C-alpha cells in the first residue's frame, strides 16, 4: 500500500455541510432504485457513505479508504449492511459484474494513474450498473497556488517541495471520452460552488483538512508552526473575511456513467 498522509477526521469534518454538498449532487444523478451492492471508494470518515442507506435501504454497502484513521472514525456508522475497511484504490478489485453502484468522491485527484483505474471500475459493475465520480478541480485557486509557492521556498523546500505536488485532474470531456470508450453512457459536468464559511481564517481551516495536510506533515514541528502562520496570513489576504463570512469559490468536476446492457 502507498504511503499517504495521516488524515484527521475531526479536521476534515470542519465545514462538513459544505464538503458534503457535492456528494449529494453526485449521487443524486444516479438513476436507479433497485440497488443491492455498493462500493464507496475513498469513503473518508463514513458520514457521507452512511447517507447511501437512505437512498438504497436494501443494499449492502462497503466503504474503503487508505487511511486507518478515517476507517476508525467510520466504524461509528457501521452495521450489518454497511461495513468499512482499509484499502488502497490502486490495489482494489471486485469480482466482474458484482456491483450495482461504485461511488468515488473527492479521492481520485490524489492518484496520478486514476484514468488507468476506470476499466477495472467498469468491469466490476453489472450491466446497467453505475459509476459516480467527483473530484476537486480547483488546483489553480489561490489556496493551492500559494501553497505550492510557499512550499518551494526556503526553509520549507527542503522538506515540502514535493508534498504539494498533485496530478493534473481530468476535465469533464476526458471522463466522457474515457468512459464512453469503456461502453458507458456518460453524464459529465463541472460546478463552481461559492461556499460562505464562518470563523476566523476559514480557508486555512478548510485546507488544513485536505490539500495542505501533506505539506504540513512533511515539515519539522518548528517549521510547521512558522509555515502555517505565513500561509494563513496570505490566505487571509486572498480570501478576506467579511462581516457575513468568507467566500470560498470551489470548482468541482463530476462524471456519472452507466454501463451499457449488451
Amino acid at each position: 500500500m502507498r504511503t499517504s498522509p495521516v488524515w484527521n477526521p475531526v479536521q476534515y469534518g470542519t465545514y462538513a455541510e459544505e464538503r458534503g454538498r457535492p456528494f449529494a449532487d453526485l449521487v443524486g444523478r444516479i438513476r436507479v432504485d433497485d440497488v443491492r451492492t455498493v462500493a464507496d471508494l475513498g469513503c473518508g470518515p463514513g458520514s457521507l457513505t452512511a447517507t447511501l442507506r437512505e437512498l438504497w435501504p436494501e443494499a449492502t454497502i462497503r466503504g474503503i479508504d487508505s487511511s486507518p484513521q478515517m476507517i476508525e472514525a467510520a466504524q461509528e456508522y457501521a452495521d450489518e449492511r454497511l461495513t468499512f475497511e482499509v484499502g488502497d484504490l490502486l490495489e482494489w478489485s471486485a469480482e466482474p459484474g458484482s456491483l450495482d453502484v461504485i461511488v468515488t468522491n473527492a479521492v481520485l485527484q490524489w492518484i496520478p494513474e486514476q484514468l488507468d483505474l476506470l476499466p477495472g471500475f467498469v468491469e466490476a459493475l453489472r450491466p446497467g450498473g453505475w459509476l459516480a465520480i467527483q473530484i476537486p478541480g480547483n488546483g489553480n485557486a489561490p489556496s493551492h497556488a500559494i501553497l505550492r509557492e510557499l512550499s518551494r521556498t526556503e526553509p520549507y523546500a527542503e522538506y515540502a517541495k514535493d508534498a504539494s505536488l498533485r496530478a493534473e485532474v481530468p476535465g469533464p470531456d476526458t471522463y466522457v471520452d474515457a468512459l464512453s470508450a469503456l461502453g458507458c453512457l456518460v453524464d459529465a459536468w463541472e460546478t463552481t460552488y461559492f461556499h460562505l464559511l464562518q470563523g476566523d481564517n476559514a480557508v486555512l481551516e478548510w485546507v488544513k483538512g485536505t490539500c495542505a495536510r501533506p505539506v504540513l506533515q512533511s515539515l519539522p514541528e518548528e517549521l510547521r508552526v512558522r509555515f502555517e502562520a505565513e500561509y494563513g496570513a496570505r490566505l487571509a489576504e486572498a480570501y478576506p473575511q467579511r462581516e457575513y463570512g468568507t467566500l470560498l469559490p470551489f470548482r468541482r468536476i463530476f462524471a456519472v456513467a452507466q454501463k451499457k446492457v449488451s
Side-chain angles (χ1 to χ4, degrees):
M1 185 178 296
R2 295 167 297 149
T3 300
S4 61
V6 178
W7 297 105
N8 184 328
V10 175
Q11 184 70 48
Y12 184 80
T14 305
Y15 307 114
E17 182 176 350
E18 290 83 359
R19 293 193 197 278
R21 184 176 168 191
F23 183 90
D25 290 345
L26 176 69
V27 299
R29 300 288 275 270
I30 300 174
R31 308 299 189 189
V32 62
D33 296 320
D34 183 18
V35 174
R36 299 294 175 175
T37 53
V38 179
D40 184 2
L41 306 181
C43 63
S47 53
L48 296 176
T49 314
T51 65
L52 300 178
R53 291 182 298 194
E54 302 169 13
L55 286 176
W56 306 305
E58 301 301 318
T60 298
I61 304 168
R62 182 182 172 200
I64 299 165
D65 199 280
S66 63
S67 167
Q69 294 76 24
M70 289 293 197
I71 292 299
E72 181 179 1
Q75 298 305 329
E76 170 188 355
Y77 304 99
D79 58 26
E80 67 279 1
R81 290 189 177 275
L82 176 58
T83 60
F84 298 94
E85 63 186 82
V86 176
D88 190 324
L89 265 64
L90 287 177
E91 300 172 0
W92 178 85
S93 64
E95 182 179 346
S98 62
L99 294 170
D100 294 310
V101 174
I102 296 174
V103 177
T104 173
N105 180 67
V107 66
L108 291 181
Q109 77 272 11
W110 298 103
I111 302 176
E113 313 91 337
Q114 66 153 292
L115 294 178
D116 295 336
L117 301 181
L118 298 183
F121 294 168
V122 173
E123 183 180 26
L125 294 172
R126 65 166 175 80
W130 292 75
L131 170 63
I133 297 168
Q134 184 274 125
I135 57 171
N138 62 335
N140 293 322
S143 55
H144 291 59
I146 294 169
L147 181 67
R148 287 192 297 269
E149 179 186 347
L150 192 57
S151 66
R152 295 170 189 173
T153 61
E154 297 299 341
Y156 312 119
E158 178 182 352
Y159 306 95
K161 64 180 180 180
D162 295 329
S164 63
L165 297 177
R166 292 168 67 184
E168 292 292 326
V169 298
D173 57 331
T174 301
Y175 282 119
V176 171
D177 287 343
L179 291 168
S180 296
L182 293 170
C184 295
L185 302 172
V186 188
D187 178 16
W189 71 100
E190 64 179 69
T191 296
T192 298
Y193 296 88
F194 287 83
H195 298 304
L196 187 59
L197 307 180
Q198 303 302 318
D200 294 333
N201 211 338
V203 176
L204 176 62
E205 292 304 309
W206 178 290
V207 298
K208 280 166 61 177
T210 52
C211 67
R213 191 159 185 83
V215 173
L216 292 171
Q217 288 191 345
S218 72
L219 296 169
E221 184 175 358
E222 64 275 10
L223 286 182
R224 186 181 309 130
V225 174
R226 176 178 166 182
F227 183 96
E228 185 174 323
E230 188 172 348
Y231 182 42
R234 294 181 64 176
L235 287 177
E237 183 177 352
Y239 300 93
Q241 182 176 354
R242 298 175 171 86
E243 61 181 19
Y244 52 80
T246 300
L247 194 63
L248 173 63
F250 202 117
R251 174 178 176 253
R252 294 184 182 268
I253 297 163
F254 301 79
V256 174
Q258 185 181 26
K259 186 175 181 178
K260 293 180 182 178
V261 178
S262 299

